[in-house]
Amino acid sequence: MASTVPAVRQTADVQPWPAPHADGPVSGVVTLPGSKSLTNRALVLSALADGTSRIRAPLWARDTELMARALTDLGTHIERVGEDCEIHPATLHGADVDTGLAGTVMRFVPPLAALATGSVRFDGDSYARERPMATLIDGLRQAGVVVDDDDRGRLPFTIRASGAVKGGQVRIDAAASSQFVSGLLLSAARYGNGIEVVHVGDERVPSAPHIEMSLDMVRRAGVDAAATGPSSWVVLPGRIRAQDWTIEPDLSNAAPFLAAAVVTGGTVTVPGWPLSTTQAGDALRNLLTQLGASVSANADGLVVSGGAEITGIDVDLHDVGELTPVIAAVAALASTPSTLRGIGHLRGHETDRLAALATELTRLGGEVSEQSDRLTIRPRRLHGATWRAYADHRMATAGAVIGLAVDGVVVDDIASTTKTMPDFPALWSSLIGA
């Protein structure tokens, strides 16, 4: 079942980019910037804490800059200190918040803004107005928050904040995004009754590791928080303690760099890979092994070496959907077919990622069968062409991976990678030796 080809969108600073082609095995060490997911959660919790927090080695990229600006507009003082930042909480007030195309901003900031005094209006990029928000709006209303959205369930909308939120049990269908759950959990300790989020949909909540990440960080800030079942989570009311947060490297952003080793038969090391983490990107260790790579962790970090050939994979990516574009790119270069399942929720991300991947791989000569929640990829000899990113950072990096093995690939909008990586082209060229 093929869906409508997504509209071609580009970032404001369009930069068509001839993807470097690898003439041999790619080997090197890639030091990655910090995790967007951890940085933005730390920013939200720090803005609600009872003192000054410090975030060490945060990511400074488009999505985290949007988060910092949103919190600043609401009254929080954020000070850059070298590569770190200090967050000084203050009384929250009304503001106009620009979410850009950042899902964490549009889903994490409204529950925090409900604790302000005054009206807080949310709006973002044109495509942000198409992304689902009705679930969060419904949850906020159940928690006692007044939201004006003209019954659209989309941006723009306005929160009429009174300085306090009742909280209590919230029953929502969060099958479209785990961010609806995380957004409510992160601010809930400041609600009068805390919160109990109950997922009532028939389908599982996607990206479950991100919910565990939120709970873990809330607990580290001194708040009682736990999963009370497979589809329910509780945060009790209480103080959010100021913290000294140290941000891990972004493991999901490691995907294209580690994939470079797989598709070229080289070896790539990512230093600082944590031995234990809540990041979804840690699943790369198992996924790349299934694709035929050799994967090991040592004192130097995570080391991935490509095998004699790339083997197809049949895998459920429901919990780690953000890895899908790069895994699909590697699968398109495999010797046997692959099926990527459980990823229907990716249709509501920066673009409809299933339709986008099917369209772009087909443009390069691939054979892709698209169904509502899966892609089946049958390897074919690919050829060079323009790879459209649809203003989606993960689509852009997938195009870069394809370009290593296929000469003549041009990514139409490499600037979209600034969403989570400040200078992807430089990192990529340094690794490839381009």
PDB file of all heavy atoms in Angstrom, residues 293-331:
ATOM      1  N   ALA A 293      27.614  -6.778  10.392  1.00  0.00           N
ATOM      2  CA  ALA A 293      28.798  -6.089  10.904  1.00  0.00           C
ATOM      3  C   ALA A 293      29.331  -6.776  12.157  1.00  0.00           C
ATOM      4  O   ALA A 293      28.641  -7.552  12.820  1.00  0.00           O
ATOM      5  CB  ALA A 293      28.474  -4.635  11.215  1.00  0.00           C
ATOM      6  N   SER A 294      30.571  -6.461  12.479  1.00  0.00           N
ATOM      7  CA  SER A 294      31.176  -6.867  13.739  1.00  0.00           C
ATOM      8  C   SER A 294      31.126  -5.663  14.679  1.00  0.00           C
ATOM      9  O   SER A 294      31.591  -4.574  14.322  1.00  0.00           O
ATOM     10  CB  SER A 294      32.620  -7.310  13.520  1.00  0.00           C
ATOM     11  OG  SER A 294      33.279  -7.529  14.759  1.00  0.00           O
ATOM     12  N   VAL A 295      30.561  -5.850  15.865  1.00  0.00           N
ATOM     13  CA  VAL A 295      30.347  -4.742  16.799  1.00  0.00           C
ATOM     14  C   VAL A 295      30.944  -5.108  18.150  1.00  0.00           C
ATOM     15  O   VAL A 295      30.684  -6.195  18.681  1.00  0.00           O
ATOM     16  CB  VAL A 295      28.846  -4.435  16.963  1.00  0.00           C
ATOM     17  CG1 VAL A 295      28.645  -3.272  17.935  1.00  0.00           C
ATOM     18  CG2 VAL A 295      28.205  -4.113  15.608  1.00  0.00           C
ATOM     19  N   SER A 296      31.734  -4.218  18.707  1.00  0.00           N
ATOM     20  CA  SER A 296      32.314  -4.458  20.026  1.00  0.00           C
ATOM     21  C   SER A 296      32.448  -3.145  20.781  1.00  0.00           C
ATOM     22  O   SER A 296      32.519  -2.072  20.176  1.00  0.00           O
ATOM     23  CB  SER A 296      33.690  -5.128  19.900  1.00  0.00           C
ATOM     24  OG  SER A 296      34.600  -4.267  19.220  1.00  0.00           O
ATOM     25  N   ALA A 297      32.454  -3.259  22.099  1.00  0.00           N
ATOM     26  CA  ALA A 297      32.655  -2.091  22.958  1.00  0.00           C
ATOM     27  C   ALA A 297      33.920  -2.303  23.768  1.00  0.00           C
ATOM     28  O   ALA A 297      34.159  -3.389  24.298  1.00  0.00           O
ATOM     29  CB  ALA A 297      31.466  -1.899  23.891  1.00  0.00           C
ATOM     30  N   ASN A 298      34.758  -1.271  23.815  1.00  0.00           N
ATOM     31  CA  ASN A 298      35.978  -1.352  24.622  1.00  0.00           C
ATOM     32  C   ASN A 298      36.256   0.012  25.239  1.00  0.00           C
ATOM     33  O   ASN A 298      35.403   0.911  25.185  1.00  0.00           O
ATOM     34  CB  ASN A 298      37.159  -1.845  23.778  1.00  0.00           C
ATOM     35  CG  ASN A 298      37.405  -0.960  22.560  1.00  0.00           C
ATOM     36  OD1 ASN A 298      37.263   0.269  22.629  1.00  0.00           O
ATOM     37  ND2 ASN A 298      37.783  -1.573  21.443  1.00  0.00           N
ATOM     38  N   ALA A 299      37.418   0.173  25.794  1.00  0.00           N
ATOM     39  CA  ALA A 299      37.754   1.431  26.475  1.00  0.00           C
ATOM     40  C   ALA A 299      37.764   2.609  25.521  1.00  0.00           C
ATOM     41  O   ALA A 299      37.597   3.764  25.937  1.00  0.00           O
ATOM     42  CB  ALA A 299      39.113   1.300  27.162  1.00  0.00           C
ATOM     43  N   ASP A 300      37.932   2.337  24.234  1.00  0.00           N
ATOM     44  CA  ASP A 300      37.959   3.421  23.254  1.00  0.00           C
ATOM     45  C   ASP A 300      36.560   3.862  22.840  1.00  0.00           C
ATOM     46  O   ASP A 300      36.395   4.934  22.262  1.00  0.00           O
ATOM     47  CB  ASP A 300      38.733   2.987  22.004  1.00  0.00           C
ATOM     48  CG  ASP A 300      40.211   2.741  22.297  1.00  0.00           C
ATOM     49  OD1 ASP A 300      40.754   3.456  23.162  1.00  0.00           O
ATOM     50  OD2 ASP A 300      40.788   1.836  21.679  1.00  0.00           O
ATOM     51  N   GLY A 301      35.562   3.019  23.082  1.00  0.00           N
ATOM     52  CA  GLY A 301      34.189   3.337  22.686  1.00  0.00           C
ATOM     53  C   GLY A 301      33.550   2.177  21.972  1.00  0.00           C
ATOM     54  O   GLY A 301      33.934   1.020  22.169  1.00  0.00           O
ATOM     55  N   LEU A 302      32.587   2.469  21.103  1.00  0.00           N
ATOM     56  CA  LEU A 302      31.928   1.438  20.306  1.00  0.00           C
ATOM     57  C   LEU A 302      32.642   1.340  18.965  1.00  0.00           C
ATOM     58  O   LEU A 302      32.848   2.351  18.284  1.00  0.00           O
ATOM     59  CB  LEU A 302      30.452   1.771  20.089  1.00  0.00           C
ATOM     60  CG  LEU A 302      29.642   0.634  19.450  1.00  0.00           C
ATOM     61  CD1 LEU A 302      29.375  -0.468  20.474  1.00  0.00           C
ATOM     62  CD2 LEU A 302      28.322   1.147  18.889  1.00  0.00           C
ATOM     63  N   VAL A 303      32.986   0.117  18.580  1.00  0.00           N
ATOM     64  CA  VAL A 303      33.730  -0.122  17.345  1.00  0.00           C
ATOM     65  C   VAL A 303      32.883  -0.986  16.421  1.00  0.00           C
ATOM     66  O   VAL A 303      32.436  -2.066  16.807  1.00  0.00           O
ATOM     67  CB  VAL A 303      35.075  -0.814  17.622  1.00  0.00           C
ATOM     68  CG1 VAL A 303      35.853  -0.990  16.318  1.00  0.00           C
ATOM     69  CG2 VAL A 303      35.896  -0.022  18.629  1.00  0.00           C
ATOM     70  N   VAL A 304      32.649  -0.519  15.217  1.00  0.00           N
ATOM     71  CA  VAL A 304      31.871  -1.253  14.217  1.00  0.00           C
ATOM     72  C   VAL A 304      32.733  -1.465  12.989  1.00  0.00           C
ATOM     73  O   VAL A 304      33.317  -0.516  12.446  1.00  0.00           O
ATOM     74  CB  VAL A 304      30.585  -0.494  13.839  1.00  0.00           C
ATOM     75  CG1 VAL A 304      29.879  -1.187  12.669  1.00  0.00           C
ATOM     76  CG2 VAL A 304      29.648  -0.407  15.035  1.00  0.00           C
ATOM     77  N   SER A 305      32.804  -2.743  12.551  1.00  0.00           N
ATOM     78  CA  SER A 305      33.540  -3.088  11.335  1.00  0.00           C
ATOM     79  C   SER A 305      32.603  -3.780  10.362  1.00  0.00           C
ATOM     80  O   SER A 305      31.821  -4.665  10.758  1.00  0.00           O
ATOM     81  CB  SER A 305      34.721  -4.018  11.659  1.00  0.00           C
ATOM     82  OG  SER A 305      35.646  -3.380  12.511  1.00  0.00           O
ATOM     83  N   GLY A 306      32.660  -3.390   9.109  1.00  0.00           N
ATOM     84  CA  GLY A 306      31.831  -4.007   8.098  1.00  0.00           C
ATOM     85  C   GLY A 306      32.258  -5.432   7.810  1.00  0.00           C
ATOM     86  O   GLY A 306      33.445  -5.767   7.907  1.00  0.00           O
ATOM     87  N   GLY A 307      31.288  -6.288   7.451  1.00  0.00           N
ATOM     88  CA  GLY A 307      31.590  -7.672   7.134  1.00  0.00           C
ATOM     89  C   GLY A 307      31.829  -7.868   5.651  1.00  0.00           C
ATOM     90  O   GLY A 307      31.912  -6.909   4.875  1.00  0.00           O
ATOM     91  N   ALA A 308      31.912  -9.149   5.263  1.00  0.00           N
ATOM     92  CA  ALA A 308      32.166  -9.473   3.858  1.00  0.00           C
ATOM     93  C   ALA A 308      31.007  -9.038   2.978  1.00  0.00           C
ATOM     94  O   ALA A 308      31.196  -8.690   1.810  1.00  0.00           O
ATOM     95  CB  ALA A 308      32.415 -10.973   3.715  1.00  0.00           C
ATOM     96  N   GLU A 309      29.788  -9.073   3.505  1.00  0.00           N
ATOM     97  CA  GLU A 309      28.626  -8.593   2.781  1.00  0.00           C
ATOM     98  C   GLU A 309      27.589  -8.089   3.766  1.00  0.00           C
ATOM     99  O   GLU A 309      27.644  -8.385   4.958  1.00  0.00           O
ATOM    100  CB  GLU A 309      28.022  -9.695   1.895  1.00  0.00           C
ATOM    101  CG  GLU A 309      27.414 -10.848   2.664  1.00  0.00           C
ATOM    102  CD  GLU A 309      26.726 -11.856   1.742  1.00  0.00           C
ATOM    103  OE1 GLU A 309      26.761 -11.659   0.515  1.00  0.00           O
ATOM    104  OE2 GLU A 309      26.143 -12.822   2.271  1.00  0.00           O
ATOM    105  N   ILE A 310      26.651  -7.335   3.258  1.00  0.00           N
ATOM    106  CA  ILE A 310      25.543  -6.844   4.076  1.00  0.00           C
ATOM    107  C   ILE A 310      24.377  -7.809   3.892  1.00  0.00           C
ATOM    108  O   ILE A 310      23.970  -8.094   2.770  1.00  0.00           O
ATOM    109  CB  ILE A 310      25.123  -5.427   3.651  1.00  0.00           C
ATOM    110  CG1 ILE A 310      26.303  -4.472   3.749  1.00  0.00           C
ATOM    111  CG2 ILE A 310      23.961  -4.928   4.504  1.00  0.00           C
ATOM    112  CD1 ILE A 310      26.047  -3.121   3.108  1.00  0.00           C
ATOM    113  N   THR A 311      23.862  -8.316   4.991  1.00  0.00           N
ATOM    114  CA  THR A 311      22.738  -9.239   4.929  1.00  0.00           C
ATOM    115  C   THR A 311      21.448  -8.517   5.282  1.00  0.00           C
ATOM    116  O   THR A 311      21.439  -7.610   6.126  1.00  0.00           O
ATOM    117  CB  THR A 311      22.945 -10.416   5.895  1.00  0.00           C
ATOM    118  OG1 THR A 311      23.183  -9.907   7.222  1.00  0.00           O
ATOM    119  CG2 THR A 311      24.133 -11.256   5.470  1.00  0.00           C
ATOM    120  N   GLY A 312      20.366  -8.905   4.627  1.00  0.00           N
ATOM    121  CA  GLY A 312      19.075  -8.287   4.902  1.00  0.00           C
ATOM    122  C   GLY A 312      18.633  -8.538   6.330  1.00  0.00           C
ATOM    123  O   GLY A 312      19.167  -9.406   7.039  1.00  0.00           O
ATOM    124  N   ILE A 313      17.635  -7.772   6.757  1.00  0.00           N
ATOM    125  CA  ILE A 313      17.185  -7.816   8.146  1.00  0.00           C
ATOM    126  C   ILE A 313      15.662  -7.787   8.180  1.00  0.00           C
ATOM    127  O   ILE A 313      15.020  -7.111   7.379  1.00  0.00           O
ATOM    128  CB  ILE A 313      17.784  -6.612   8.923  1.00  0.00           C
ATOM    129  CG1 ILE A 313      17.547  -6.694  10.419  1.00  0.00           C
ATOM    130  CG2 ILE A 313      17.284  -5.289   8.367  1.00  0.00           C
ATOM    131  CD1 ILE A 313      18.317  -5.628  11.206  1.00  0.00           C
ATOM    132  N   ASP A 314      15.078  -8.566   9.082  1.00  0.00           N
ATOM    133  CA  ASP A 314      13.635  -8.532   9.325  1.00  0.00           C
ATOM    134  C   ASP A 314      13.474  -8.145  10.785  1.00  0.00           C
ATOM    135  O   ASP A 314      13.777  -8.936  11.686  1.00  0.00           O
ATOM    136  CB  ASP A 314      12.998  -9.892   9.037  1.00  0.00           C
ATOM    137  CG  ASP A 314      11.469  -9.853   9.121  1.00  0.00           C
ATOM    138  OD1 ASP A 314      10.932  -8.991   9.851  1.00  0.00           O
ATOM    139  OD2 ASP A 314      10.815 -10.674   8.458  1.00  0.00           O
ATOM    140  N   VAL A 315      13.008  -6.919  11.038  1.00  0.00           N
ATOM    141  CA  VAL A 315      13.092  -6.398  12.399  1.00  0.00           C
ATOM    142  C   VAL A 315      11.938  -5.458  12.693  1.00  0.00           C
ATOM    143  O   VAL A 315      11.443  -4.750  11.815  1.00  0.00           O
ATOM    144  CB  VAL A 315      14.455  -5.672  12.591  1.00  0.00           C
ATOM    145  CG1 VAL A 315      14.548  -4.442  11.707  1.00  0.00           C
ATOM    146  CG2 VAL A 315      14.703  -5.324  14.040  1.00  0.00           C
ATOM    147  N   ASP A 316      11.509  -5.466  13.940  1.00  0.00           N
ATOM    148  CA  ASP A 316      10.504  -4.536  14.435  1.00  0.00           C
ATOM    149  C   ASP A 316      11.224  -3.323  15.019  1.00  0.00           C
ATOM    150  O   ASP A 316      11.946  -3.435  16.013  1.00  0.00           O
ATOM    151  CB  ASP A 316       9.646  -5.219  15.516  1.00  0.00           C
ATOM    152  CG  ASP A 316       8.466  -4.374  15.970  1.00  0.00           C
ATOM    153  OD1 ASP A 316       8.529  -3.134  15.834  1.00  0.00           O
ATOM    154  OD2 ASP A 316       7.483  -4.939  16.477  1.00  0.00           O
ATOM    155  N   LEU A 317      11.032  -2.163  14.389  1.00  0.00           N
ATOM    156  CA  LEU A 317      11.700  -0.934  14.826  1.00  0.00           C
ATOM    157  C   LEU A 317      10.756   0.000  15.585  1.00  0.00           C
ATOM    158  O   LEU A 317      11.034   1.196  15.716  1.00  0.00           O
ATOM    159  CB  LEU A 317      12.287  -0.206  13.612  1.00  0.00           C
ATOM    160  CG  LEU A 317      13.389  -0.950  12.843  1.00  0.00           C
ATOM    161  CD1 LEU A 317      13.817  -0.144  11.625  1.00  0.00           C
ATOM    162  CD2 LEU A 317      14.587  -1.230  13.739  1.00  0.00           C
ATOM    163  N   HIS A 318       9.664  -0.549  16.092  1.00  0.00           N
ATOM    164  CA  HIS A 318       8.649   0.273  16.746  1.00  0.00           C
ATOM    165  C   HIS A 318       9.223   1.133  17.862  1.00  0.00           C
ATOM    166  O   HIS A 318       8.872   2.307  18.002  1.00  0.00           O
ATOM    167  CB  HIS A 318       7.545  -0.640  17.302  1.00  0.00           C
ATOM    168  CG  HIS A 318       6.371   0.071  17.870  1.00  0.00           C
ATOM    169  ND1 HIS A 318       6.253   0.379  19.211  1.00  0.00           N
ATOM    170  CD2 HIS A 318       5.238   0.546  17.282  1.00  0.00           C
ATOM    171  CE1 HIS A 318       5.107   1.002  19.430  1.00  0.00           C
ATOM    172  NE2 HIS A 318       4.473   1.113  18.282  1.00  0.00           N
ATOM    173  N   ASP A 319      10.122   0.560  18.667  1.00  0.00           N
ATOM    174  CA  ASP A 319      10.677   1.294  19.802  1.00  0.00           C
ATOM    175  C   ASP A 319      11.848   2.191  19.428  1.00  0.00           C
ATOM    176  O   ASP A 319      12.257   3.033  20.227  1.00  0.00           O
ATOM    177  CB  ASP A 319      11.124   0.314  20.896  1.00  0.00           C
ATOM    178  CG  ASP A 319       9.943  -0.252  21.679  1.00  0.00           C
ATOM    179  OD1 ASP A 319       8.834   0.298  21.569  1.00  0.00           O
ATOM    180  OD2 ASP A 319      10.147  -1.256  22.387  1.00  0.00           O
ATOM    181  N   VAL A 320      12.404   1.993  18.235  1.00  0.00           N
ATOM    182  CA  VAL A 320      13.596   2.754  17.837  1.00  0.00           C
ATOM    183  C   VAL A 320      13.404   3.311  16.422  1.00  0.00           C
ATOM    184  O   VAL A 320      14.317   3.276  15.589  1.00  0.00           O
ATOM    185  CB  VAL A 320      14.872   1.889  17.931  1.00  0.00           C
ATOM    186  CG1 VAL A 320      15.188   1.557  19.379  1.00  0.00           C
ATOM    187  CG2 VAL A 320      14.723   0.601  17.115  1.00  0.00           C
ATOM    188  N   GLY A 321      12.221   3.854  16.167  1.00  0.00           N
ATOM    189  CA  GLY A 321      11.867   4.301  14.825  1.00  0.00           C
ATOM    190  C   GLY A 321      12.806   5.332  14.244  1.00  0.00           C
ATOM    191  O   GLY A 321      12.975   5.399  13.020  1.00  0.00           O
ATOM    192  N   GLU A 322      13.449   6.144  15.080  1.00  0.00           N
ATOM    193  CA  GLU A 322      14.342   7.188  14.576  1.00  0.00           C
ATOM    194  C   GLU A 322      15.539   6.611  13.818  1.00  0.00           C
ATOM    195  O   GLU A 322      16.178   7.313  13.030  1.00  0.00           O
ATOM    196  CB  GLU A 322      14.851   8.052  15.736  1.00  0.00           C
ATOM    197  CG  GLU A 322      15.708   7.305  16.729  1.00  0.00           C
ATOM    198  CD  GLU A 322      15.626   7.886  18.135  1.00  0.00           C
ATOM    199  OE1 GLU A 322      14.525   7.878  18.710  1.00  0.00           O
ATOM    200  OE2 GLU A 322      16.666   8.334  18.634  1.00  0.00           O
ATOM    201  N   LEU A 323      15.843   5.322  14.030  1.00  0.00           N
ATOM    202  CA  LEU A 323      16.952   4.683  13.333  1.00  0.00           C
ATOM    203  C   LEU A 323      16.556   4.177  11.949  1.00  0.00           C
ATOM    204  O   LEU A 323      17.419   3.773  11.156  1.00  0.00           O
ATOM    205  CB  LEU A 323      17.491   3.510  14.167  1.00  0.00           C
ATOM    206  CG  LEU A 323      17.928   3.847  15.598  1.00  0.00           C
ATOM    207  CD1 LEU A 323      18.418   2.587  16.299  1.00  0.00           C
ATOM    208  CD2 LEU A 323      19.009   4.926  15.605  1.00  0.00           C
ATOM    209  N   THR A 324      15.261   4.198  11.642  1.00  0.00           N
ATOM    210  CA  THR A 324      14.759   3.593  10.406  1.00  0.00           C
ATOM    211  C   THR A 324      15.397   4.125   9.133  1.00  0.00           C
ATOM    212  O   THR A 324      15.786   3.343   8.254  1.00  0.00           O
ATOM    213  CB  THR A 324      13.227   3.732  10.335  1.00  0.00           C
ATOM    214  OG1 THR A 324      12.646   3.048  11.450  1.00  0.00           O
ATOM    215  CG2 THR A 324      12.677   3.157   9.045  1.00  0.00           C
ATOM    216  N   PRO A 325      15.519   5.453   8.927  1.00  0.00           N
ATOM    217  CA  PRO A 325      16.076   5.914   7.652  1.00  0.00           C
ATOM    218  C   PRO A 325      17.458   5.360   7.346  1.00  0.00           C
ATOM    219  O   PRO A 325      17.717   4.919   6.218  1.00  0.00           O
ATOM    220  CB  PRO A 325      16.079   7.444   7.813  1.00  0.00           C
ATOM    221  CG  PRO A 325      14.928   7.707   8.736  1.00  0.00           C
ATOM    222  CD  PRO A 325      14.993   6.583   9.731  1.00  0.00           C
ATOM    223  N   VAL A 326      18.357   5.351   8.321  1.00  0.00           N
ATOM    224  CA  VAL A 326      19.703   4.838   8.058  1.00  0.00           C
ATOM    225  C   VAL A 326      19.674   3.321   7.888  1.00  0.00           C
ATOM    226  O   VAL A 326      20.363   2.772   7.016  1.00  0.00           O
ATOM    227  CB  VAL A 326      20.677   5.267   9.168  1.00  0.00           C
ATOM    228  CG1 VAL A 326      21.944   4.420   9.144  1.00  0.00           C
ATOM    229  CG2 VAL A 326      21.038   6.737   9.013  1.00  0.00           C
ATOM    230  N   ILE A 327      18.885   2.612   8.689  1.00  0.00           N
ATOM    231  CA  ILE A 327      18.787   1.156   8.528  1.00  0.00           C
ATOM    232  C   ILE A 327      18.225   0.825   7.149  1.00  0.00           C
ATOM    233  O   ILE A 327      18.678  -0.113   6.474  1.00  0.00           O
ATOM    234  CB  ILE A 327      17.912   0.543   9.634  1.00  0.00           C
ATOM    235  CG1 ILE A 327      18.550   0.774  11.011  1.00  0.00           C
ATOM    236  CG2 ILE A 327      17.687  -0.945   9.390  1.00  0.00           C
ATOM    237  CD1 ILE A 327      19.929   0.171  11.174  1.00  0.00           C
ATOM    238  N   ALA A 328      17.251   1.608   6.677  1.00  0.00           N
ATOM    239  CA  ALA A 328      16.698   1.393   5.339  1.00  0.00           C
ATOM    240  C   ALA A 328      17.761   1.630   4.269  1.00  0.00           C
ATOM    241  O   ALA A 328      17.825   0.905   3.264  1.00  0.00           O
ATOM    242  CB  ALA A 328      15.506   2.311   5.106  1.00  0.00           C
ATOM    243  N   ALA A 329      18.600   2.644   4.454  1.00  0.00           N
ATOM    244  CA  ALA A 329      19.659   2.929   3.487  1.00  0.00           C
ATOM    245  C   ALA A 329      20.640   1.765   3.401  1.00  0.00           C
ATOM    246  O   ALA A 329      21.049   1.357   2.304  1.00  0.00           O
ATOM    247  CB  ALA A 329      20.386   4.213   3.880  1.00  0.00           C
ATOM    248  N   VAL A 330      21.020   1.214   4.557  1.00  0.00           N
ATOM    249  CA  VAL A 330      21.931   0.069   4.557  1.00  0.00           C
ATOM    250  C   VAL A 330      21.253  -1.138   3.921  1.00  0.00           C
ATOM    251  O   VAL A 330      21.861  -1.868   3.118  1.00  0.00           O
ATOM    252  CB  VAL A 330      22.395  -0.251   5.988  1.00  0.00           C
ATOM    253  CG1 VAL A 330      23.271  -1.504   5.994  1.00  0.00           C
ATOM    254  CG2 VAL A 330      23.161   0.925   6.589  1.00  0.00           C
ATOM    255  N   ALA A 331      19.974  -1.345   4.250  1.00  0.00           N
ATOM    256  CA  ALA A 331      19.236  -2.485   3.705  1.00  0.00           C
ATOM    257  C   ALA A 331      19.149  -2.424   2.183  1.00  0.00           C
ATOM    258  O   ALA A 331      19.147  -3.455   1.503  1.00  0.00           O
ATOM    259  CB  ALA A 331      17.845  -2.537   4.319  1.00  0.00           C
TER     260      ALA A 331
END
